Amino acid sequence: MKLFNVGDWVKGVSKEDEFFIGYVERIKDTMANIYIVQSDNPYLINRKVKISTNKITTMDPSDLYFEGNILNLIDIALIEKNEDDFIKYTNQLHELRSIHDKLTNLEVINFTRGEGYHRI
């Protein structure tokens, strides 16, 4: 039996084969109440669903560090009026965007002319 905690980020597939991402709001026996933040079914987004814990898996922390996911976390922090989480996720968003800007501004290396590697 998988163990989940309230607040865990999970992903899964519904009975109708719809992928979703959300977080655990409540656990009772083998059922979990999940708040959906992303899904390939737009109707599920921002809704709560009850699903068997056999149908969900915990997300790796690295799965959460995409800009869209961080924006969702910021929205949730605003809805819950959680200033600490808002600041934490806003800082993560700024860090992610800073890294993205640095990567897009790197010098393009033309290997066909034999320029080799550049130190960054």
mmCIF file of all heavy atoms in Angstrom, residues 40-86:
data_model
loop_
_atom_site.group_PDB
_atom_site.id
_atom_site.type_symbol
_atom_site.label_atom_id
_atom_site.label_comp_id
_atom_site.label_asym_id
_atom_site.label_seq_id
_atom_site.Cartn_x
_atom_site.Cartn_y
_atom_site.Cartn_z
ATOM 1 N N ASP A 40 -5.384 17.035 -18.842
ATOM 2 C CA ASP A 40 -5.686 17.144 -20.263
ATOM 3 C C ASP A 40 -7.190 17.324 -20.486
ATOM 4 O O ASP A 40 -7.625 17.556 -21.606
ATOM 5 C CB ASP A 40 -5.123 15.976 -21.069
ATOM 6 C CG ASP A 40 -5.519 14.615 -20.528
ATOM 7 O OD1 ASP A 40 -6.327 14.549 -19.590
ATOM 8 O OD2 ASP A 40 -4.993 13.619 -21.042
ATOM 9 N N ASN A 41 -7.978 17.249 -19.422
ATOM 10 C CA ASN A 41 -9.403 17.576 -19.466
ATOM 11 C C ASN A 41 -9.586 18.905 -18.734
ATOM 12 O O ASN A 41 -9.527 18.950 -17.505
ATOM 13 C CB ASN A 41 -10.239 16.490 -18.799
ATOM 14 C CG ASN A 41 -11.719 16.826 -18.758
ATOM 15 O OD1 ASN A 41 -12.138 17.914 -19.124
ATOM 16 N ND2 ASN A 41 -12.517 15.889 -18.295
ATOM 17 N N PRO A 42 -9.801 19.999 -19.457
ATOM 18 C CA PRO A 42 -9.905 21.313 -18.815
ATOM 19 C C PRO A 42 -11.007 21.386 -17.752
ATOM 20 O O PRO A 42 -10.918 22.183 -16.827
ATOM 21 C CB PRO A 42 -10.221 22.268 -19.963
ATOM 22 C CG PRO A 42 -9.962 21.530 -21.210
ATOM 23 C CD PRO A 42 -9.956 20.070 -20.897
ATOM 24 N N TYR A 43 -12.019 20.530 -17.851
ATOM 25 C CA TYR A 43 -13.106 20.536 -16.886
ATOM 26 C C TYR A 43 -12.612 20.156 -15.484
ATOM 27 O O TYR A 43 -13.162 20.614 -14.484
ATOM 28 C CB TYR A 43 -14.213 19.576 -17.337
ATOM 29 C CG TYR A 43 -15.355 19.472 -16.351
ATOM 30 C CD1 TYR A 43 -16.306 20.491 -16.265
ATOM 31 C CD2 TYR A 43 -15.472 18.387 -15.505
ATOM 32 C CE1 TYR A 43 -17.349 20.419 -15.344
ATOM 33 C CE2 TYR A 43 -16.506 18.292 -14.579
ATOM 34 C CZ TYR A 43 -17.445 19.311 -14.510
ATOM 35 O OH TYR A 43 -18.455 19.235 -13.597
ATOM 36 N N LEU A 44 -11.579 19.340 -15.385
ATOM 37 C CA LEU A 44 -11.074 18.890 -14.084
ATOM 38 C C LEU A 44 -10.232 19.937 -13.357
ATOM 39 O O LEU A 44 -10.098 19.889 -12.135
ATOM 40 C CB LEU A 44 -10.237 17.623 -14.247
ATOM 41 C CG LEU A 44 -10.968 16.342 -14.619
ATOM 42 C CD1 LEU A 44 -9.971 15.200 -14.798
ATOM 43 C CD2 LEU A 44 -12.003 15.988 -13.580
ATOM 44 N N ILE A 45 -9.663 20.883 -14.098
ATOM 45 C CA ILE A 45 -8.760 21.866 -13.506
ATOM 46 C C ILE A 45 -9.505 22.712 -12.478
ATOM 47 O O ILE A 45 -10.618 23.176 -12.723
ATOM 48 C CB ILE A 45 -8.104 22.737 -14.595
ATOM 49 C CG1 ILE A 45 -7.254 21.855 -15.513
ATOM 50 C CG2 ILE A 45 -7.262 23.849 -13.980
ATOM 51 C CD1 ILE A 45 -6.719 22.543 -16.737
ATOM 52 N N ASN A 46 -8.880 22.902 -11.320
ATOM 53 C CA ASN A 46 -9.427 23.656 -10.183
ATOM 54 C C ASN A 46 -10.629 22.969 -9.553
ATOM 55 O O ASN A 46 -11.448 23.615 -8.908
ATOM 56 C CB ASN A 46 -9.786 25.095 -10.573
ATOM 57 C CG ASN A 46 -8.567 25.886 -10.993
ATOM 58 O OD1 ASN A 46 -7.498 25.719 -10.421
ATOM 59 N ND2 ASN A 46 -8.721 26.723 -11.987
ATOM 60 N N ARG A 47 -10.730 21.665 -9.713
ATOM 61 C CA ARG A 47 -11.795 20.892 -9.078
ATOM 62 C C ARG A 47 -11.183 19.879 -8.124
ATOM 63 O O ARG A 47 -10.023 19.519 -8.231
ATOM 64 C CB ARG A 47 -12.632 20.172 -10.120
ATOM 65 C CG ARG A 47 -13.349 21.119 -11.050
ATOM 66 C CD ARG A 47 -14.442 20.404 -11.790
ATOM 67 N NE ARG A 47 -15.112 21.279 -12.714
ATOM 68 C CZ ARG A 47 -16.152 22.050 -12.402
ATOM 69 N NH1 ARG A 47 -16.645 22.044 -11.204
ATOM 70 N NH2 ARG A 47 -16.712 22.812 -13.319
ATOM 71 N N LYS A 48 -12.006 19.420 -7.202
ATOM 72 C CA LYS A 48 -11.585 18.387 -6.264
ATOM 73 C C LYS A 48 -12.185 17.069 -6.709
ATOM 74 O O LYS A 48 -13.343 17.017 -7.100
ATOM 75 C CB LYS A 48 -12.057 18.733 -4.861
ATOM 76 C CG LYS A 48 -11.464 20.013 -4.330
ATOM 77 C CD LYS A 48 -12.051 20.385 -2.994
ATOM 78 C CE LYS A 48 -11.512 21.725 -2.541
ATOM 79 N NZ LYS A 48 -12.053 22.139 -1.249
ATOM 80 N N VAL A 49 -11.362 16.010 -6.661
ATOM 81 C CA VAL A 49 -11.838 14.679 -7.029
ATOM 82 C C VAL A 49 -11.464 13.699 -5.930
ATOM 83 O O VAL A 49 -10.502 13.904 -5.193
ATOM 84 C CB VAL A 49 -11.261 14.194 -8.380
ATOM 85 C CG1 VAL A 49 -11.674 15.114 -9.512
ATOM 86 C CG2 VAL A 49 -9.751 14.075 -8.323
ATOM 87 N N LYS A 50 -12.229 12.651 -5.827
ATOM 88 C CA LYS A 50 -11.923 11.563 -4.897
ATOM 89 C C LYS A 50 -11.478 10.395 -5.762
ATOM 90 O O LYS A 50 -12.170 10.009 -6.713
ATOM 91 C CB LYS A 50 -13.161 11.191 -4.086
ATOM 92 C CG LYS A 50 -12.880 10.171 -3.007
ATOM 93 C CD LYS A 50 -14.111 9.864 -2.195
ATOM 94 C CE LYS A 50 -14.306 10.962 -1.177
ATOM 95 N NZ LYS A 50 -15.310 10.628 -0.163
ATOM 96 N N ILE A 51 -10.319 9.829 -5.435
ATOM 97 C CA ILE A 51 -9.758 8.769 -6.256
ATOM 98 C C ILE A 51 -9.012 7.779 -5.366
ATOM 99 O O ILE A 51 -8.477 8.148 -4.316
ATOM 100 C CB ILE A 51 -8.833 9.356 -7.357
ATOM 101 C CG1 ILE A 51 -8.459 8.302 -8.395
ATOM 102 C CG2 ILE A 51 -7.621 10.012 -6.755
ATOM 103 C CD1 ILE A 51 -7.905 8.879 -9.667
ATOM 104 N N SER A 52 -8.973 6.546 -5.798
ATOM 105 C CA SER A 52 -8.245 5.510 -5.064
ATOM 106 C C SER A 52 -6.754 5.822 -5.064
ATOM 107 O O SER A 52 -6.202 6.268 -6.072
ATOM 108 C CB SER A 52 -8.493 4.147 -5.718
ATOM 109 O OG SER A 52 -7.626 3.183 -5.174
ATOM 110 N N THR A 53 -6.103 5.563 -3.937
ATOM 111 C CA THR A 53 -4.663 5.805 -3.866
ATOM 112 C C THR A 53 -3.877 4.877 -4.797
ATOM 113 O O THR A 53 -2.725 5.154 -5.107
ATOM 114 C CB THR A 53 -4.149 5.634 -2.414
ATOM 115 O OG1 THR A 53 -4.520 4.335 -1.939
ATOM 116 C CG2 THR A 53 -4.713 6.700 -1.500
ATOM 117 N N ASN A 54 -4.504 3.818 -5.285
ATOM 118 C CA ASN A 54 -3.852 2.937 -6.263
ATOM 119 C C ASN A 54 -3.720 3.599 -7.624
ATOM 120 O O ASN A 54 -2.960 3.130 -8.473
ATOM 121 C CB ASN A 54 -4.631 1.630 -6.414
ATOM 122 C CG ASN A 54 -4.586 0.795 -5.162
ATOM 123 O OD1 ASN A 54 -3.656 0.880 -4.379
ATOM 124 N ND2 ASN A 54 -5.619 -0.015 -4.951
ATOM 125 N N LYS A 55 -4.483 4.662 -7.860
ATOM 126 C CA LYS A 55 -4.493 5.329 -9.166
ATOM 127 C C LYS A 55 -3.580 6.544 -9.226
ATOM 128 O O LYS A 55 -3.517 7.215 -10.253
ATOM 129 C CB LYS A 55 -5.917 5.774 -9.510
ATOM 130 C CG LYS A 55 -6.903 4.639 -9.608
ATOM 131 C CD LYS A 55 -6.720 3.888 -10.882
ATOM 132 C CE LYS A 55 -7.828 2.855 -11.049
ATOM 133 N NZ LYS A 55 -7.639 2.046 -12.211
ATOM 134 N N ILE A 56 -2.879 6.846 -8.115
ATOM 135 C CA ILE A 56 -2.025 8.030 -8.094
ATOM 136 C C ILE A 56 -0.608 7.650 -7.676
ATOM 137 O O ILE A 56 -0.387 6.629 -7.027
ATOM 138 C CB ILE A 56 -2.570 9.120 -7.151
ATOM 139 C CG1 ILE A 56 -2.748 8.593 -5.720
ATOM 140 C CG2 ILE A 56 -3.876 9.701 -7.680
ATOM 141 C CD1 ILE A 56 -3.181 9.638 -4.702
ATOM 142 N N THR A 57 0.352 8.482 -8.069
ATOM 143 C CA THR A 57 1.742 8.323 -7.653
ATOM 144 C C THR A 57 2.275 9.687 -7.231
ATOM 145 O O THR A 57 1.860 10.719 -7.760
ATOM 146 C CB THR A 57 2.633 7.767 -8.777
ATOM 147 O OG1 THR A 57 2.559 8.625 -9.909
ATOM 148 C CG2 THR A 57 2.216 6.375 -9.183
ATOM 149 N N THR A 58 3.204 9.658 -6.282
ATOM 150 C CA THR A 58 3.831 10.895 -5.822
ATOM 151 C C THR A 58 4.742 11.427 -6.908
ATOM 152 O O THR A 58 5.434 10.672 -7.585
ATOM 153 C CB THR A 58 4.647 10.630 -4.541
ATOM 154 O OG1 THR A 58 3.800 10.024 -3.568
ATOM 155 C CG2 THR A 58 5.218 11.903 -3.978
ATOM 156 N N MET A 59 4.735 12.744 -7.074
ATOM 157 C CA MET A 59 5.590 13.364 -8.082
ATOM 158 C C MET A 59 6.975 13.612 -7.513
ATOM 159 O O MET A 59 7.125 13.940 -6.341
ATOM 160 C CB MET A 59 4.977 14.686 -8.545
ATOM 161 C CG MET A 59 3.691 14.496 -9.312
ATOM 162 S SD MET A 59 3.015 16.040 -9.918
ATOM 163 C CE MET A 59 4.274 16.523 -11.076
ATOM 164 N N ASP A 60 7.987 13.459 -8.348
ATOM 165 C CA ASP A 60 9.343 13.817 -7.976
ATOM 166 C C ASP A 60 9.437 15.334 -7.871
ATOM 167 O O ASP A 60 8.795 16.039 -8.656
ATOM 168 C CB ASP A 60 10.343 13.331 -9.025
ATOM 169 C CG ASP A 60 10.433 11.820 -9.089
ATOM 170 O OD1 ASP A 60 10.221 11.178 -8.036
ATOM 171 O OD2 ASP A 60 10.695 11.290 -10.182
ATOM 172 N N PRO A 61 10.239 15.848 -6.944
ATOM 173 C CA PRO A 61 10.364 17.306 -6.842
ATOM 174 C C PRO A 61 10.797 17.948 -8.148
ATOM 175 O O PRO A 61 10.364 19.048 -8.480
ATOM 176 C CB PRO A 61 11.432 17.493 -5.758
ATOM 177 C CG PRO A 61 11.351 16.265 -4.939
ATOM 178 C CD PRO A 61 10.962 15.157 -5.896
ATOM 179 N N SER A 62 11.623 17.257 -8.939
ATOM 180 C CA SER A 62 12.079 17.839 -10.201
ATOM 181 C C SER A 62 10.925 18.025 -11.184
ATOM 182 O O SER A 62 10.992 18.869 -12.076
ATOM 183 C CB SER A 62 13.157 16.964 -10.835
ATOM 184 O OG SER A 62 12.640 15.677 -11.124
ATOM 185 N N ASP A 63 9.838 17.259 -11.042
ATOM 186 C CA ASP A 63 8.678 17.414 -11.920
ATOM 187 C C ASP A 63 7.964 18.738 -11.683
ATOM 188 O O ASP A 63 7.207 19.196 -12.531
ATOM 189 C CB ASP A 63 7.655 16.297 -11.683
ATOM 190 C CG ASP A 63 8.158 14.937 -12.128
ATOM 191 O OD1 ASP A 63 9.100 14.892 -12.940
ATOM 192 O OD2 ASP A 63 7.596 13.932 -11.669
ATOM 193 N N LEU A 64 8.187 19.347 -10.533
ATOM 194 C CA LEU A 64 7.442 20.548 -10.171
ATOM 195 C C LEU A 64 8.097 21.835 -10.635
ATOM 196 O O LEU A 64 7.504 22.888 -10.544
ATOM 197 C CB LEU A 64 7.261 20.603 -8.644
ATOM 198 C CG LEU A 64 6.493 19.442 -8.037
ATOM 199 C CD1 LEU A 64 6.540 19.526 -6.523
ATOM 200 C CD2 LEU A 64 5.059 19.439 -8.533
ATOM 201 N N TYR A 65 9.322 21.775 -11.139
ATOM 202 C CA TYR A 65 10.046 22.997 -11.441
ATOM 203 C C TYR A 65 9.946 23.407 -12.905
ATOM 204 O O TYR A 65 10.934 23.685 -13.547
ATOM 205 C CB TYR A 65 11.503 22.873 -10.988
ATOM 206 C CG TYR A 65 11.576 22.774 -9.491
ATOM 207 C CD1 TYR A 65 11.918 21.592 -8.880
ATOM 208 C CD2 TYR A 65 11.240 23.849 -8.694
ATOM 209 C CE1 TYR A 65 11.953 21.486 -7.504
ATOM 210 C CE2 TYR A 65 11.265 23.754 -7.316
ATOM 211 C CZ TYR A 65 11.632 22.573 -6.734
ATOM 212 O OH TYR A 65 11.659 22.477 -5.375
ATOM 213 N N PHE A 66 8.753 23.462 -13.405
ATOM 214 C CA PHE A 66 8.463 24.036 -14.698
ATOM 215 C C PHE A 66 7.718 25.323 -14.444
ATOM 216 O O PHE A 66 6.976 25.444 -13.459
ATOM 217 C CB PHE A 66 7.622 23.087 -15.555
ATOM 218 C CG PHE A 66 8.351 21.830 -15.939
ATOM 219 C CD1 PHE A 66 8.099 20.646 -15.279
ATOM 220 C CD2 PHE A 66 9.299 21.846 -16.941
ATOM 221 C CE1 PHE A 66 8.775 19.492 -15.620
ATOM 222 C CE2 PHE A 66 9.982 20.694 -17.291
ATOM 223 C CZ PHE A 66 9.725 19.514 -16.630
ATOM 224 N N GLU A 67 7.882 26.289 -15.311
ATOM 225 C CA GLU A 67 7.289 27.602 -15.070
ATOM 226 C C GLU A 67 5.784 27.525 -14.825
ATOM 227 O O GLU A 67 5.270 28.146 -13.896
ATOM 228 C CB GLU A 67 7.581 28.545 -16.240
ATOM 229 C CG GLU A 67 7.089 29.943 -15.986
ATOM 230 C CD GLU A 67 7.575 30.940 -17.008
ATOM 231 O OE1 GLU A 67 8.530 30.658 -17.753
ATOM 232 O OE2 GLU A 67 6.989 32.031 -17.054
ATOM 233 N N GLY A 68 5.081 26.734 -15.623
ATOM 234 C CA GLY A 68 3.635 26.619 -15.450
ATOM 235 C C GLY A 68 3.260 26.058 -14.089
ATOM 236 O O GLY A 68 2.296 26.514 -13.455
ATOM 237 N N ASN A 69 4.017 25.076 -13.621
ATOM 238 C CA ASN A 69 3.740 24.496 -12.308
ATOM 239 C C ASN A 69 4.002 25.502 -11.194
ATOM 240 O O ASN A 69 3.242 25.584 -10.231
ATOM 241 C CB ASN A 69 4.580 23.245 -12.082
ATOM 242 C CG ASN A 69 4.174 22.117 -12.993
ATOM 243 O OD1 ASN A 69 3.118 22.144 -13.603
ATOM 244 N ND2 ASN A 69 5.014 21.116 -13.103
ATOM 245 N N ILE A 70 5.091 26.257 -11.308
ATOM 246 C CA ILE A 70 5.391 27.262 -10.283
ATOM 247 C C ILE A 70 4.308 28.340 -10.279
ATOM 248 O O ILE A 70 3.883 28.805 -9.216
ATOM 249 C CB ILE A 70 6.796 27.853 -10.491
ATOM 250 C CG1 ILE A 70 7.860 26.763 -10.265
ATOM 251 C CG2 ILE A 70 7.037 29.022 -9.544
ATOM 252 C CD1 ILE A 70 9.266 27.179 -10.582
ATOM 253 N N LEU A 71 3.833 28.728 -11.460
ATOM 254 C CA LEU A 71 2.750 29.712 -11.523
ATOM 255 C C LEU A 71 1.493 29.180 -10.840
ATOM 256 O O LEU A 71 0.790 29.922 -10.144
ATOM 257 C CB LEU A 71 2.456 30.096 -12.978
ATOM 258 C CG LEU A 71 3.537 30.933 -13.657
ATOM 259 C CD1 LEU A 71 3.263 31.040 -15.157
ATOM 260 C CD2 LEU A 71 3.640 32.305 -13.017
ATOM 261 N N ASN A 72 1.215 27.892 -11.010
ATOM 262 C CA ASN A 72 0.069 27.289 -10.315
ATOM 263 C C ASN A 72 0.264 27.337 -8.802
ATOM 264 O O ASN A 72 -0.684 27.607 -8.058
ATOM 265 C CB ASN A 72 -0.135 25.835 -10.757
ATOM 266 C CG ASN A 72 -0.741 25.742 -12.131
ATOM 267 O OD1 ASN A 72 -1.424 26.639 -12.584
ATOM 268 N ND2 ASN A 72 -0.458 24.641 -12.802
ATOM 269 N N LEU A 73 1.477 27.055 -8.344
ATOM 270 C CA LEU A 73 1.757 27.099 -6.914
ATOM 271 C C LEU A 73 1.596 28.514 -6.362
ATOM 272 O O LEU A 73 1.088 28.707 -5.251
ATOM 273 C CB LEU A 73 3.163 26.578 -6.631
ATOM 274 C CG LEU A 73 3.397 25.097 -6.920
ATOM 275 C CD1 LEU A 73 4.885 24.761 -6.816
ATOM 276 C CD2 LEU A 73 2.587 24.228 -5.980
ATOM 277 N N ILE A 74 1.994 29.505 -7.154
ATOM 278 C CA ILE A 74 1.810 30.903 -6.742
ATOM 279 C C ILE A 74 0.326 31.220 -6.633
ATOM 280 O O ILE A 74 -0.121 31.850 -5.664
ATOM 281 C CB ILE A 74 2.525 31.857 -7.728
ATOM 282 C CG1 ILE A 74 4.040 31.720 -7.573
ATOM 283 C CG2 ILE A 74 2.082 33.305 -7.500
ATOM 284 C CD1 ILE A 74 4.848 32.424 -8.644
ATOM 285 N N ASP A 75 -0.459 30.766 -7.604
ATOM 286 C CA ASP A 75 -1.912 30.985 -7.555
ATOM 287 C C ASP A 75 -2.527 30.354 -6.313
ATOM 288 O O ASP A 75 -3.373 30.964 -5.648
ATOM 289 C CB ASP A 75 -2.593 30.412 -8.802
ATOM 290 C CG ASP A 75 -2.346 31.246 -10.047
ATOM 291 O OD1 ASP A 75 -1.908 32.406 -9.908
ATOM 292 O OD2 ASP A 75 -2.567 30.726 -11.151
ATOM 293 N N ILE A 76 -2.101 29.144 -6.000
ATOM 294 C CA ILE A 76 -2.637 28.458 -4.815
ATOM 295 C C ILE A 76 -2.259 29.221 -3.546
ATOM 296 O O ILE A 76 -3.086 29.403 -2.648
ATOM 297 C CB ILE A 76 -2.146 26.999 -4.764
ATOM 298 C CG1 ILE A 76 -2.780 26.203 -5.904
ATOM 299 C CG2 ILE A 76 -2.462 26.357 -3.415
ATOM 300 C CD1 ILE A 76 -2.158 24.848 -6.130
ATOM 301 N N ALA A 77 -1.022 29.705 -3.492
ATOM 302 C CA ALA A 77 -0.589 30.480 -2.320
ATOM 303 C C ALA A 77 -1.422 31.754 -2.183
ATOM 304 O O ALA A 77 -1.789 32.147 -1.067
ATOM 305 C CB ALA A 77 0.896 30.809 -2.429
ATOM 306 N N LEU A 78 -1.746 32.385 -3.312
ATOM 307 C CA LEU A 78 -2.579 33.584 -3.261
ATOM 308 C C LEU A 78 -3.996 33.260 -2.794
ATOM 309 O O LEU A 78 -4.564 33.985 -1.968
ATOM 310 C CB LEU A 78 -2.624 34.257 -4.641
ATOM 311 C CG LEU A 78 -1.348 34.976 -5.071
ATOM 312 C CD1 LEU A 78 -1.435 35.380 -6.536
ATOM 313 C CD2 LEU A 78 -1.097 36.191 -4.188
ATOM 314 N N ILE A 79 -4.549 32.177 -3.321
ATOM 315 C CA ILE A 79 -5.897 31.769 -2.920
ATOM 316 C C ILE A 79 -5.947 31.487 -1.424
ATOM 317 O O ILE A 79 -6.892 31.879 -0.738
ATOM 318 C CB ILE A 79 -6.348 30.534 -3.728
ATOM 319 C CG1 ILE A 79 -6.597 30.919 -5.191
ATOM 320 C CG2 ILE A 79 -7.598 29.895 -3.119
ATOM 321 C CD1 ILE A 79 -6.739 29.743 -6.131
ATOM 322 N N GLU A 80 -4.914 30.812 -0.925
ATOM 323 C CA GLU A 80 -4.868 30.457 0.487
ATOM 324 C C GLU A 80 -4.336 31.585 1.366
ATOM 325 O O GLU A 80 -4.239 31.433 2.574
ATOM 326 C CB GLU A 80 -4.009 29.208 0.678
ATOM 327 C CG GLU A 80 -4.591 27.978 0.012
ATOM 328 C CD GLU A 80 -3.715 26.744 0.138
ATOM 329 O OE1 GLU A 80 -2.516 26.887 0.465
ATOM 330 O OE2 GLU A 80 -4.239 25.650 -0.092
ATOM 331 N N LYS A 81 -3.945 32.712 0.738
ATOM 332 C CA LYS A 81 -3.373 33.859 1.457
ATOM 333 C C LYS A 81 -2.166 33.445 2.298
ATOM 334 O O LYS A 81 -1.995 33.877 3.433
ATOM 335 C CB LYS A 81 -4.434 34.547 2.311
ATOM 336 C CG LYS A 81 -5.550 35.121 1.475
ATOM 337 C CD LYS A 81 -6.596 35.795 2.307
ATOM 338 C CE LYS A 81 -7.549 36.460 1.360
ATOM 339 N NZ LYS A 81 -8.852 36.287 1.437
ATOM 340 N N ASN A 82 -1.321 32.584 1.696
ATOM 341 C CA ASN A 82 -0.128 32.065 2.365
ATOM 342 C C ASN A 82 1.081 32.862 1.861
ATOM 343 O O ASN A 82 1.655 32.553 0.816
ATOM 344 C CB ASN A 82 0.024 30.576 2.069
ATOM 345 C CG ASN A 82 1.161 29.950 2.836
ATOM 346 O OD1 ASN A 82 2.146 30.606 3.156
ATOM 347 N ND2 ASN A 82 1.019 28.673 3.129
ATOM 348 N N GLU A 83 1.454 33.888 2.620
ATOM 349 C CA GLU A 83 2.519 34.793 2.194
ATOM 350 C C GLU A 83 3.874 34.094 2.083
ATOM 351 O O GLU A 83 4.639 34.350 1.160
ATOM 352 C CB GLU A 83 2.626 35.970 3.168
ATOM 353 C CG GLU A 83 3.625 37.018 2.732
ATOM 354 C CD GLU A 83 3.663 38.215 3.663
ATOM 355 O OE1 GLU A 83 2.873 38.276 4.626
ATOM 356 O OE2 GLU A 83 4.506 39.097 3.424
ATOM 357 N N ASP A 84 4.175 33.189 3.011
ATOM 358 C CA ASP A 84 5.460 32.483 2.972
ATOM 359 C C ASP A 84 5.608 31.663 1.696
ATOM 360 O O ASP A 84 6.652 31.713 1.040
ATOM 361 C CB ASP A 84 5.613 31.571 4.191
ATOM 362 C CG ASP A 84 5.751 32.355 5.491
ATOM 363 O OD1 ASP A 84 6.175 33.527 5.438
ATOM 364 O OD2 ASP A 84 5.426 31.788 6.549
ATOM 365 N N ASP A 85 4.564 30.884 1.351
ATOM 366 C CA ASP A 85 4.627 30.095 0.116
ATOM 367 C C ASP A 85 4.671 30.998 -1.107
ATOM 368 O O ASP A 85 5.377 30.718 -2.074
ATOM 369 C CB ASP A 85 3.434 29.143 0.017
ATOM 370 C CG ASP A 85 3.610 27.889 0.853
ATOM 371 O OD1 ASP A 85 4.714 27.674 1.391
ATOM 372 O OD2 ASP A 85 2.635 27.121 0.976
ATOM 373 N N PHE A 86 3.924 32.105 -1.085
ATOM 374 C CA PHE A 86 3.937 33.042 -2.211
ATOM 375 C C PHE A 86 5.358 33.551 -2.458
ATOM 376 O O PHE A 86 5.834 33.546 -3.592
ATOM 377 C CB PHE A 86 2.982 34.214 -1.957
ATOM 378 C CG PHE A 86 3.073 35.280 -3.002
ATOM 379 C CD1 PHE A 86 2.460 35.112 -4.233
ATOM 380 C CD2 PHE A 86 3.790 36.442 -2.766
ATOM 381 C CE1 PHE A 86 2.559 36.086 -5.219
ATOM 382 C CE2 PHE A 86 3.892 37.428 -3.737
ATOM 383 C CZ PHE A 86 3.275 37.248 -4.964
#
